Coordinates of all heavy atoms in Angstrom, one line a residue:
M1 N 10.3 13.1 5.1 CA 10.0 13.3 3.7 C 11.1 14.2 3.2 O 11.4 15.2 3.8 CB 8.7 14.0 3.5 CG 7.5 13.3 4.2 SD 6.6 12.2 3.1 CE 5.9 13.4 2.0
T2 N 11.7 13.8 2.1 CA 12.8 14.6 1.6 C 12.6 14.8 0.1 O 12.0 14.1 -0.6 CB 14.2 13.8 1.7 OG1 14.0 12.5 1.2 CG2 14.6 13.7 3.2
N3 N 13.3 15.9 -0.4 CA 13.3 16.2 -1.8 C 11.9 16.2 -2.5 O 11.7 15.6 -3.5 CB 14.2 15.3 -2.6 CG 15.6 15.3 -2.1 OD1 16.1 16.4 -1.8 ND2 16.3 14.2 -2.1
L4 N 11.0 16.9 -1.9 CA 9.6 16.9 -2.5 C 9.6 18.0 -3.5 O 10.0 19.1 -3.3 CB 8.6 17.2 -1.4 CG 8.4 16.2 -0.3 CD1 7.1 16.5 0.5 CD2 8.4 14.8 -0.8
T5 N 9.0 17.6 -4.7 CA 8.8 18.6 -5.7 C 7.6 19.5 -5.3 O 6.8 19.0 -4.4 CB 8.5 17.9 -7.1 OG1 7.3 17.2 -6.9 CG2 9.6 17.0 -7.5
P6 N 7.4 20.6 -5.9 CA 6.2 21.4 -5.5 C 4.9 20.6 -5.6 O 4.1 20.7 -4.8 CB 6.3 22.6 -6.5 CG 7.7 22.7 -6.8 CD 8.3 21.3 -6.8
I7 N 4.8 19.8 -6.7 CA 3.5 19.1 -6.8 C 3.4 18.0 -5.7 O 2.3 17.8 -5.2 CB 3.3 18.5 -8.2 CG1 1.9 18.0 -8.4 CG2 4.3 17.4 -8.6 CD1 1.5 17.7 -9.8
M8 N 4.5 17.4 -5.4 CA 4.4 16.5 -4.3 C 4.1 17.1 -2.9 O 3.4 16.6 -2.1 CB 5.8 15.7 -4.2 CG 5.9 14.6 -5.2 SD 7.6 13.9 -5.2 CE 7.6 13.0 -3.7
E9 N 4.6 18.3 -2.7 CA 4.3 19.1 -1.5 C 2.8 19.4 -1.5 O 2.2 19.3 -0.4 CB 5.1 20.4 -1.4 CG 6.5 20.2 -0.9 CD 7.3 21.4 -0.8 OE1 6.7 22.5 -0.8 OE2 8.5 21.3 -0.6
K10 N 2.3 19.7 -2.6 CA 0.9 20.0 -2.7 C 0.0 18.8 -2.4 O -0.9 18.8 -1.6 CB 0.6 20.6 -4.1 CG -0.7 21.4 -4.2 CD -0.8 22.0 -5.6 CE -2.2 22.2 -6.0 NZ -2.4 22.6 -7.3
T11 N 0.4 17.7 -3.0 CA -0.3 16.4 -2.8 C -0.2 16.0 -1.3 O -1.2 15.6 -0.7 CB 0.3 15.3 -3.7 OG1 0.3 15.8 -5.0 CG2 -0.5 14.0 -3.5
H12 N 1.0 16.1 -0.7 CA 1.2 15.8 0.7 C 0.3 16.7 1.6 O -0.3 16.2 2.5 CB 2.7 15.9 1.1 CG 2.9 15.4 2.5 ND1 3.2 16.3 3.5 CD2 2.9 14.2 3.0 CE1 3.4 15.6 4.6 NE2 3.2 14.3 4.4
A13 N 0.3 17.9 1.3 CA -0.6 18.9 2.1 C -2.0 18.5 2.0 O -2.8 18.5 3.0 CB -0.3 20.3 1.6
W14 N -2.5 18.1 0.8 CA -3.8 17.7 0.6 C -4.1 16.5 1.4 O -5.1 16.4 2.1 CB -4.1 17.4 -0.9 CG -5.4 16.7 -1.1 CD1 -6.7 17.3 -1.0 CD2 -5.6 15.3 -1.2 NE1 -7.6 16.3 -1.1 CE2 -7.0 15.1 -1.2 CE3 -4.7 14.2 -1.3 CZ2 -7.5 13.8 -1.3 CZ3 -5.2 12.9 -1.3 CH2 -6.6 12.7 -1.4
A15 N -3.3 15.5 1.3 CA -3.5 14.2 2.0 C -3.5 14.4 3.5 O -4.4 13.8 4.2 CB -2.4 13.2 1.6
T16 N -2.7 15.3 4.0 CA -2.6 15.5 5.4 C -4.0 16.2 5.9 O -4.6 15.8 6.9 CB -1.5 16.5 5.8 OG1 -0.2 15.9 5.3 CG2 -1.3 16.8 7.3
G17 N -4.4 17.2 5.1 CA -5.7 17.8 5.4 C -6.8 16.9 5.3 O -7.7 16.9 6.2
Y18 N -6.8 16.1 4.3 CA -7.9 15.2 4.1 C -8.0 14.2 5.2 O -9.1 13.9 5.8 CB -7.8 14.4 2.8 CG -8.9 13.4 2.5 CD1 -10.1 13.9 2.0 CD2 -8.8 12.1 2.8 CE1 -11.2 13.0 1.8 CE2 -9.8 11.2 2.6 CZ -11.0 11.7 2.1 OH -12.1 10.8 2.0
A19 N -6.9 13.6 5.6 CA -6.9 12.7 6.8 C -7.4 13.3 8.0 O -8.3 12.8 8.7 CB -5.4 12.2 7.0
Q20 N -7.0 14.6 8.3 CA -7.5 15.3 9.5 C -9.0 15.5 9.4 O -9.7 15.2 10.4 CB -6.8 16.6 9.6 CG -5.5 16.6 10.3 CD -4.7 17.9 10.2 OE1 -5.2 18.8 9.6 NE2 -3.5 17.9 10.8
R21 N -9.5 15.9 8.3 CA -10.9 16.2 8.1 C -11.8 14.9 8.3 O -12.9 15.0 8.8 CB -11.2 16.8 6.7 CG -10.8 18.2 6.5 CD -11.5 18.8 5.3 NE -11.3 18.1 4.1 CZ -10.2 18.3 3.4 NH1 -9.2 19.0 3.8 NH2 -10.0 17.6 2.2
K22 N -11.3 13.8 7.9 CA -12.0 12.6 8.0 C -11.8 11.7 9.2 O -12.3 10.7 9.4 CB -11.7 11.7 6.7 CG -12.1 12.3 5.4 CD -13.6 12.5 5.3 CE -14.0 13.1 4.1 NZ -15.5 13.4 4.0
G23 N -10.9 12.2 10.1 CA -10.6 11.5 11.3 C -9.7 10.3 11.1 O -9.7 9.3 11.8
Y24 N -8.9 10.3 10.0 CA -7.9 9.3 9.7 C -6.5 9.9 10.1 O -6.4 11.1 10.5 CB -7.9 8.9 8.2 CG -9.2 8.3 7.7 CD1 -9.7 8.6 6.5 CD2 -9.9 7.5 8.5 CE1 -10.8 8.1 6.0 CE2 -11.1 6.9 8.1 CZ -11.6 7.2 6.8 OH -12.7 6.7 6.3
K25 N -5.5 9.1 9.8 CA -4.1 9.7 9.9 C -3.3 9.1 8.8 O -3.7 8.1 8.2 CB -3.5 9.3 11.3 CG -3.3 7.9 11.5 CD -2.6 7.6 12.8 CE -2.4 6.1 13.0 NZ -1.9 5.7 14.3
L26 N -2.2 9.8 8.5 CA -1.3 9.2 7.4 C -0.5 8.1 8.0 O -0.3 8.1 9.2 CB -0.4 10.3 6.9 CG -1.1 11.5 6.1 CD1 0.0 12.4 5.4 CD2 -2.0 10.9 5.0
N27 N -0.1 7.2 7.2 CA 0.8 6.1 7.6 C 2.0 6.7 8.4 O 2.6 7.7 7.9 CB 1.4 5.5 6.3 CG 2.1 4.2 6.6 OD1 2.6 4.0 7.7 ND2 2.2 3.3 5.6
P28 N 2.3 6.2 9.6 CA 3.4 6.7 10.3 C 4.7 6.5 9.6 O 5.7 7.1 10.0 CB 3.3 6.0 11.7 CG 2.2 5.0 11.6 CD 1.5 5.2 10.3
D29 N 4.8 5.5 8.7 CA 6.0 5.3 7.9 C 6.1 6.3 6.8 O 5.5 6.3 5.8 CB 5.9 3.9 7.3 CG 7.2 3.5 6.5 OD1 7.9 4.4 6.1 OD2 7.4 2.3 6.3
Q30 N 7.0 7.3 7.1 CA 7.1 8.4 6.2 C 7.6 8.0 4.8 O 7.2 8.7 3.8 CB 8.2 9.4 6.7 CG 7.8 10.0 8.1 CD 7.0 11.3 7.9 OE1 7.4 12.2 7.2 NE2 5.8 11.3 8.5
E31 N 8.4 7.0 4.7 CA 8.9 6.6 3.4 C 7.7 6.0 2.5 O 7.7 6.3 1.3 CB 10.0 5.5 3.5 CG 11.3 6.0 3.8 CD 12.4 5.0 3.9 OE1 12.3 4.0 3.2 OE2 13.3 5.2 4.7
M32 N 6.8 5.3 3.2 CA 5.7 4.8 2.4 C 4.8 6.0 2.0 O 4.3 6.0 0.8 CB 4.8 3.9 3.3 CG 5.2 2.4 3.3 SD 5.1 1.7 1.6 CE 3.4 2.0 1.3
V33 N 4.6 6.9 2.9 CA 3.8 8.1 2.5 C 4.4 8.8 1.3 O 3.8 9.1 0.3 CB 3.7 9.1 3.7 CG1 3.0 10.4 3.2 CG2 2.9 8.5 4.8
Q34 N 5.8 8.9 1.3 CA 6.4 9.6 0.2 C 6.3 8.8 -1.1 O 6.0 9.5 -2.1 CB 7.9 9.8 0.5 CG 8.7 10.5 -0.6 CD 9.9 11.3 -0.1 OE1 10.1 11.4 1.1 NE2 10.7 11.8 -1.0
L35 N 6.3 7.5 -1.0 CA 6.2 6.7 -2.3 C 4.8 6.9 -2.9 O 4.6 7.1 -4.1 CB 6.3 5.2 -2.0 CG 7.8 4.7 -1.9 CD1 7.8 3.2 -1.5 CD2 8.4 4.9 -3.3
V36 N 3.7 6.9 -2.0 CA 2.4 7.0 -2.5 C 2.2 8.4 -3.0 O 1.6 8.6 -4.1 CB 1.3 6.7 -1.4 CG1 -0.1 6.8 -1.9 CG2 1.5 5.2 -0.9
V37 N 2.6 9.4 -2.3 CA 2.5 10.8 -2.7 C 3.2 11.0 -4.0 O 2.7 11.7 -4.9 CB 3.1 11.8 -1.6 CG1 3.4 13.2 -2.2 CG2 2.1 11.9 -0.4
E38 N 4.3 10.4 -4.2 CA 5.1 10.5 -5.5 C 4.2 9.9 -6.6 O 4.1 10.5 -7.7 CB 6.4 9.7 -5.3 CG 7.5 10.1 -6.3 CD 8.8 9.4 -5.9 OE1 9.0 9.0 -4.8 OE2 9.5 9.2 -6.9
G39 N 3.6 8.7 -6.4 CA 2.8 8.1 -7.4 C 1.6 8.9 -7.7 O 1.2 9.0 -8.9
L40 N 0.9 9.4 -6.7 CA -0.3 10.3 -6.9 C 0.1 11.5 -7.8 O -0.6 11.9 -8.7 CB -0.9 10.7 -5.6 CG -1.6 9.6 -4.8 CD1 -1.9 10.2 -3.4 CD2 -2.9 9.2 -5.5
S41 N 1.2 12.1 -7.4 CA 1.6 13.3 -8.1 C 2.0 13.0 -9.5 O 1.7 13.8 -10.5 CB 2.9 13.9 -7.4 OG 2.5 14.2 -6.0
R42 N 2.7 11.9 -9.8 CA 3.0 11.5 -11.1 C 1.8 11.3 -12.0 O 1.7 11.8 -13.1 CB 3.9 10.2 -11.1 CG 4.5 9.9 -12.4 CD 5.3 8.6 -12.5 NE 6.1 8.5 -11.3 CZ 6.0 7.5 -10.4 NH1 5.1 6.5 -10.6 NH2 6.8 7.4 -9.3
N43 N 0.8 10.6 -11.4 CA -0.4 10.4 -12.2 C -1.1 11.7 -12.5 O -1.7 11.9 -13.5 CB -1.4 9.4 -11.4 CG -0.9 8.0 -11.5 OD1 -0.1 7.7 -12.4 ND2 -1.4 7.2 -10.6
R44 N -1.1 12.6 -11.5 CA -1.7 13.9 -11.7 C -1.0 14.6 -12.9 O -1.7 15.2 -13.7 CB -1.6 14.7 -10.4 CG -2.6 15.9 -10.5 CD -2.2 17.0 -9.5 NE -2.5 16.6 -8.1 CZ -2.8 17.5 -7.2 NH1 -2.9 18.8 -7.6 NH2 -3.0 17.2 -6.0
E45 N 0.3 14.6 -12.9 CA 1.1 15.3 -13.9 C 0.9 14.6 -15.3 O 0.8 15.2 -16.3 CB 2.6 15.3 -13.5 CG 2.9 16.4 -12.7 CD 4.4 16.5 -12.4 OE1 5.0 15.4 -12.2 OE2 4.9 17.6 -12.3
E46 N 1.0 13.3 -15.3 CA 1.1 12.5 -16.6 C -0.3 12.2 -17.1 O -0.5 12.1 -18.3 CB 1.9 11.3 -16.4 CG 3.4 11.6 -16.2 CD 4.2 10.3 -16.0 OE1 3.7 9.2 -16.1 OE2 5.4 10.5 -15.7
L47 N -1.3 11.9 -16.2 CA -2.6 11.5 -16.6 C -3.7 12.5 -16.4 O -4.8 12.3 -16.8 CB -3.0 10.2 -15.9 CG -2.0 9.0 -16.1 CD1 -2.3 7.8 -15.3 CD2 -1.8 8.6 -17.6
G48 N -3.3 13.6 -15.6 CA -4.3 14.7 -15.4 C -5.2 14.5 -14.2 O -5.9 15.4 -13.8
R49 N -5.2 13.3 -13.6 CA -6.0 13.1 -12.4 C -5.1 12.4 -11.4 O -4.2 11.6 -11.8 CB -7.2 12.3 -12.7 CG -8.2 12.9 -13.7 CD -8.6 14.3 -13.4 NE -9.5 14.4 -12.3 CZ -10.8 14.5 -12.3 NH1 -11.4 14.4 -13.5 NH2 -11.5 14.6 -11.3
Q50 N -5.5 12.5 -10.2 CA -4.8 11.9 -9.1 C -5.2 10.4 -8.9 O -5.8 10.1 -7.9 CB -5.1 12.8 -7.8 CG -4.3 12.5 -6.6 CD -4.6 13.5 -5.5 OE1 -4.0 14.6 -5.5 NE2 -5.6 13.3 -4.7
Y51 N -4.9 9.6 -9.9 CA -5.3 8.2 -9.8 C -4.4 7.5 -8.8 O -3.3 7.8 -8.6 CB -5.1 7.5 -11.2 CG -6.0 8.0 -12.2 CD1 -5.6 8.7 -13.4 CD2 -7.4 7.8 -12.1 CE1 -6.4 9.2 -14.3 CE2 -8.3 8.2 -13.1 CZ -7.8 8.9 -14.2 OH -8.7 9.4 -15.2
C52 N -5.1 6.5 -8.2 CA -4.4 5.7 -7.2 C -3.2 5.0 -7.8 O -3.3 4.3 -8.8 CB -5.4 4.6 -6.7 SG -4.7 3.6 -5.4
P53 N -2.0 5.1 -7.2 CA -0.8 4.5 -7.8 C -0.8 3.0 -7.5 O 0.1 2.4 -8.1 CB 0.3 5.3 -7.1 CG -0.2 5.8 -5.8 CD -1.7 6.0 -6.0
C54 N -1.7 2.5 -6.7 CA -1.6 1.1 -6.4 C -2.7 0.3 -7.1 O -3.0 -0.9 -6.8 CB -1.9 0.9 -4.9 SG -0.8 2.0 -3.9
R55 N -3.3 0.9 -8.1 CA -4.3 0.2 -8.9 C -4.1 0.5 -10.4 O -3.4 1.4 -10.7 CB -5.8 0.7 -8.5 CG -6.1 0.6 -7.1 CD -7.5 1.1 -6.8 NE -7.7 1.4 -5.4 CZ -8.2 0.5 -4.5 NH1 -8.5 -0.7 -4.9 NH2 -8.3 0.8 -3.2
I56 N -4.7 -0.3 -11.2 CA -4.4 -0.2 -12.7 C -5.4 0.8 -13.3 O -6.6 0.7 -13.1 CB -4.7 -1.6 -13.4 CG1 -3.9 -2.7 -12.7 CG2 -4.4 -1.4 -14.9 CD1 -2.4 -2.7 -13.0
V57 N -4.9 1.8 -14.0 CA -5.7 2.7 -14.7 C -6.1 2.1 -16.0 O -5.3 1.7 -16.8 CB -5.0 4.1 -15.0 CG1 -5.8 5.0 -15.8 CG2 -4.5 4.7 -13.7
S58 N -7.4 1.9 -16.2 CA -7.9 1.0 -17.3 C -8.0 1.8 -18.7 O -8.0 1.2 -19.7 CB -9.3 0.4 -17.0 OG -10.3 1.5 -17.0
G59 N -8.2 3.1 -18.6 CA -8.5 3.9 -19.8 C -9.9 4.1 -20.0 O -10.3 5.0 -20.8
N60 N -10.8 3.4 -19.2 CA -12.2 3.7 -19.2 C -12.5 4.8 -18.2 O -12.4 4.5 -17.0 CB -12.9 2.3 -18.8 CG -14.4 2.5 -18.8 OD1 -14.9 3.5 -18.2 ND2 -15.2 1.5 -19.3
V61 N -12.9 5.9 -18.7 CA -13.1 7.1 -17.8 C -14.0 6.9 -16.6 O -13.8 7.2 -15.5 CB -13.5 8.3 -18.6 CG1 -13.8 9.5 -17.8 CG2 -12.5 8.7 -19.7
E62 N -15.2 6.2 -16.9 CA -16.1 5.9 -15.9 C -15.6 5.0 -14.8 O -15.7 5.3 -13.6 CB -17.4 5.3 -16.5 CG -18.4 6.2 -17.0 CD -18.8 7.3 -16.0 OE1 -19.2 6.9 -14.9 OE2 -18.6 8.5 -16.3
Q63 N -14.9 4.0 -15.2 CA -14.3 3.0 -14.3 C -13.2 3.7 -13.5 O -13.1 3.5 -12.3 CB -13.7 1.8 -15.0 CG -14.7 0.8 -15.4 CD -15.4 0.2 -14.2 OE1 -16.6 0.4 -14.0 NE2 -14.6 -0.5 -13.3
D64 N -12.4 4.5 -14.2 CA -11.2 5.0 -13.6 C -11.6 6.2 -12.6 O -10.8 6.5 -11.7 CB -10.2 5.6 -14.6 CG -9.6 4.4 -15.4 OD1 -9.6 3.3 -14.9 OD2 -9.1 4.7 -16.5
R65 N -12.7 6.7 -12.8 CA -13.2 7.8 -11.8 C -13.2 7.2 -10.4 O -12.9 7.9 -9.4 CB -14.6 8.2 -12.2 CG -14.9 9.6 -11.8 CD -16.4 9.9 -12.0 NE -16.8 9.8 -13.4 CZ -16.7 10.7 -14.3 NH1 -16.1 11.8 -14.1 NH2 -17.1 10.5 -15.6
K66 N -13.5 5.9 -10.3 CA -13.5 5.3 -8.9 C -12.2 5.2 -8.2 O -12.2 5.1 -7.0 CB -14.1 3.9 -9.1 CG -15.5 3.8 -9.6 CD -15.9 2.3 -9.7 CE -17.2 2.2 -10.4 NZ -17.5 0.8 -10.9
I67 N -11.1 5.3 -9.0 CA -9.8 5.2 -8.4 C -9.0 6.5 -8.3 O -7.8 6.5 -8.2 CB -9.0 4.1 -9.0 CG1 -8.7 4.4 -10.5 CG2 -9.6 2.7 -8.8 CD1 -7.6 3.5 -11.1
I68 N -9.8 7.6 -8.5 CA -9.1 8.9 -8.2 C -9.1 9.1 -6.7 O -10.1 8.9 -6.0 CB -9.9 10.1 -8.9 CG1 -9.9 9.9 -10.4 CG2 -9.3 11.4 -8.4 CD1 -10.9 10.9 -11.1
C69 N -7.9 9.4 -6.2 CA -7.7 9.5 -4.8 C -8.4 10.7 -4.2 O -8.3 11.8 -4.7 CB -6.2 9.5 -4.4 SG -5.9 9.4 -2.7
P70 N -9.2 10.5 -3.2 CA -9.5 9.3 -2.4 C -10.5 8.4 -3.1 O -11.6 8.9 -3.4 CB -10.1 9.9 -1.1 CG -10.8 11.2 -1.5 CD -10.0 11.7 -2.7
C71 N -10.1 7.2 -3.3 CA -10.9 6.3 -4.1 C -12.2 5.9 -3.4 O -12.4 6.1 -2.2 CB -10.1 5.0 -4.4 SG -9.6 4.1 -2.9
V72 N -13.1 5.3 -4.2 CA -14.4 4.9 -3.6 C -14.3 3.8 -2.6 O -15.2 3.5 -1.8 CB -15.5 4.5 -4.7 CG1 -15.8 5.7 -5.6 CG2 -15.0 3.3 -5.5
Y73 N -13.2 3.1 -2.6 CA -13.0 2.0 -1.7 C -12.4 2.3 -0.3 O -12.4 1.4 0.6 CB -12.0 1.0 -2.4 CG -12.4 0.7 -3.8 CD1 -11.7 1.2 -4.9 CD2 -13.6 -0.1 -4.1 CE1 -12.0 0.9 -6.2 CE2 -13.9 -0.4 -5.4 CZ -13.1 0.2 -6.5 OH -13.5 -0.1 -7.8
H74 N -11.8 3.5 -0.2 CA -10.9 3.6 1.0 C -11.6 3.6 2.3 O -11.1 3.1 3.3 CB -10.1 4.9 0.8 CG -10.8 6.2 1.1 ND1 -11.8 6.6 0.3 CD2 -10.6 7.2 2.0 CE1 -12.2 7.8 0.7 NE2 -11.5 8.1 1.8
H75 N -12.9 4.1 2.4 CA -13.5 4.1 3.7 C -13.7 2.7 4.2 O -13.4 2.4 5.4 CB -14.9 4.8 3.7 CG -14.8 6.3 3.4 ND1 -14.1 7.1 4.2 CD2 -15.4 7.1 2.5 CE1 -14.2 8.4 3.8 NE2 -15.0 8.4 2.7
D76 N -14.2 1.8 3.3 CA -14.4 0.4 3.7 C -13.1 -0.3 4.0 O -13.0 -1.1 5.0 CB -15.1 -0.4 2.6 CG -16.6 -0.1 2.6 OD1 -17.1 0.5 3.6 OD2 -17.2 -0.4 1.6
E77 N -12.1 0.0 3.2 CA -10.8 -0.6 3.5 C -10.2 -0.2 4.8 O -9.7 -1.0 5.6 CB -9.8 -0.2 2.3 CG -10.1 -0.9 1.0 CD -9.3 -0.4 -0.2 OE1 -8.7 0.7 0.0 OE2 -9.3 -1.0 -1.2
I78 N -10.3 1.1 5.1 CA -9.8 1.6 6.4 C -10.6 0.9 7.6 O -10.0 0.5 8.6 CB -9.8 3.1 6.5 CG1 -8.9 3.7 5.4 CG2 -9.5 3.6 7.9 CD1 -9.0 5.2 5.2
K79 N -11.9 0.9 7.4 CA -12.8 0.3 8.4 C -12.4 -1.2 8.6 O -12.3 -1.7 9.7 CB -14.2 0.4 8.0 CG -15.2 0.2 9.1 CD -16.6 0.6 8.6 CE -17.6 -0.4 9.0 NZ -18.8 -0.3 8.2
N80 N -12.2 -1.9 7.5 CA -12.0 -3.4 7.6 C -10.6 -3.8 7.8 O -10.3 -4.8 8.5 CB -12.6 -4.1 6.4 CG -14.1 -3.8 6.2 OD1 -14.8 -3.7 7.2 ND2 -14.5 -3.7 5.0
N81 N -9.7 -3.1 7.3 CA -8.3 -3.5 7.3 C -7.3 -2.5 8.1 O -6.2 -2.8 8.2 CB -7.7 -3.6 5.9 CG -8.6 -4.4 5.0 OD1 -9.2 -5.4 5.4 ND2 -8.7 -4.0 3.7
G82 N -7.9 -1.4 8.5 CA -7.1 -0.5 9.2 C -6.4 0.6 8.4 O -5.8 1.6 8.9
S83 N -6.3 0.3 7.1 CA -5.7 1.3 6.2 C -6.2 1.1 4.8 O -6.8 0.0 4.5 CB -4.2 1.1 6.1 OG -3.8 -0.1 5.5
C84 N -6.0 2.1 3.9 CA -6.5 1.9 2.5 C -5.5 1.0 1.8 O -4.4 0.7 2.3 CB -6.6 3.3 1.9 SG -5.0 4.2 1.5
H85 N -5.9 0.6 0.6 CA -5.1 -0.3 -0.2 C -3.6 0.1 -0.4 O -2.7 -0.7 -0.3 CB -5.7 -0.5 -1.6 CG -5.1 -1.4 -2.5 ND1 -4.8 -2.8 -2.1 CD2 -4.6 -1.3 -3.7 CE1 -4.2 -3.3 -3.2 NE2 -4.1 -2.5 -4.1
C86 N -3.4 1.4 -0.5 CA -2.0 1.9 -0.7 C -1.3 2.1 0.6 O -0.1 2.6 0.6 CB -2.0 3.3 -1.4 SG -2.2 3.2 -3.2
S87 N -2.0 1.9 1.7 CA -1.4 2.2 3.1 C -1.0 3.7 3.2 O 0.0 4.0 3.8 CB -0.2 1.4 3.3 OG -0.5 0.0 3.4
L88 N -1.9 4.6 2.6 CA -1.7 6.0 2.8 C -2.5 6.5 4.0 O -1.9 7.1 4.9 CB -2.1 6.8 1.6 CG -2.0 8.3 1.6 CD1 -0.5 8.7 1.9 CD2 -2.5 9.0 0.4
F89 N -3.8 6.2 4.0 CA -4.6 6.6 5.1 C -4.8 5.5 6.1 O -5.1 4.3 5.7 CB -6.0 7.1 4.6 CG -5.9 8.3 3.6 CD1 -6.2 8.2 2.3 CD2 -5.4 9.5 4.1 CE1 -6.1 9.2 1.4 CE2 -5.3 10.6 3.2 CZ -5.6 10.5 1.9
F90 N -4.7 5.8 7.4 CA -4.9 4.8 8.4 C -6.0 5.2 9.4 O -6.3 6.4 9.6 CB -3.6 4.7 9.2 CG -2.6 3.7 8.7 CD1 -2.1 3.8 7.4 CD2 -2.1 2.7 9.5 CE1 -1.2 2.9 6.9 CE2 -1.2 1.8 9.0 CZ -0.7 1.9 7.7
K91 N -6.5 4.2 10.0 CA -7.4 4.4 11.1 C -6.7 5.1 12.2 O -5.5 4.8 12.5 CB -7.9 3.1 11.7 CG -9.3 2.9 12.2 CD -9.6 1.5 12.6 CE -10.6 0.9 11.7 NZ -10.9 -0.5 12.0
Q92 N -7.4 6.0 13.0 CA -6.7 6.7 14.1 C -6.4 5.7 15.2 O -7.1 4.9 15.5 CB -7.6 7.8 14.7 CG -7.7 9.1 13.9 CD -6.4 9.9 14.1 OE1 -5.5 9.5 14.8 NE2 -6.4 11.1 13.5
Ligands
LIG101 S1 -6.1 3.3 -1.9 FE1 -7.5 4.9 -2.4 S2 -7.3 6.4 -0.7 FE2 -5.5 5.0 -0.7 S3 -4.0 6.1 -1.9 FE3 -5.0 4.7 -3.3 S4 -6.7 6.0 -4.1 FE4 -5.9 7.0 -2.3

């Protein structure tokens, strides 16, 4: 991971801690992690919430709540596919 802004560092630290707490791991591909962390951080800065960068933000607050990372879908996605839709969190 290179050239992380402070907000990206914070997001990365959060994702690392979250993965550990839940028994997941981050994608071993650091470049992919960096891309997702960048997208999450951008959404946090520009939209005020850490929306999933791999899904469409609709503008409907209720609907969009579901895609604030960690989204409501990720446990099932990791269980069924080995990783979440963005390939940020992986099965151990
Ligand atoms: S798919 Fe879900 S858990 Fe994975 S990065 Fe996007 S919001 Fe986060």
Side-chain angles (χ1 to χ4, degrees):
M1 306 264 294
T2 50
N3 298 325
L4 296 195
T5 62
I7 190 165
M8 284 173 68
E9 278 182 15
K10 200 171 154 191
T11 305
H12 184 253
W14 166 79
T16 303
Y18 180 80
Q20 273 169 3
R21 284 198 302 283
K22 296 295 177 182
Y24 300 142
K25 63 180 181 184
L26 293 188
N27 190 337
D29 181 339
Q30 298 273 305
E31 279 182 32
M32 270 303 299
V33 171
Q34 182 152 350
L35 278 177
V36 180
V37 162
E38 204 173 330
L40 288 168
S41 303
R42 189 181 319 117
N43 284 342
R44 195 200 287 212
E45 274 183 325
E46 292 178 3
L47 305 174
R49 302 306 292 263
Q50 188 172 272
Y51 291 114
C52 183
C54 312
R55 303 180 198 271
I56 307 285
V57 179
S58 69
N60 177 317
V61 177
E62 275 307 307
Q63 278 300 112
D64 291 342
R65 206 188 303 278
K66 295 179 187 164
I67 62 164
I68 296 171
C69 190
C71 63
V72 297
Y73 310 106
H74 76 298
H75 292 307
D76 283 345
E77 290 172 343
I78 294 168
K79 194 167 136 202
N80 298 328
N81 310 322
S83 67
C84 71
H85 180 57
C86 280
S87 298
L88 178 62
F89 299 115
F90 271 58
K91 214 178 247 177
Q92 280 283 6

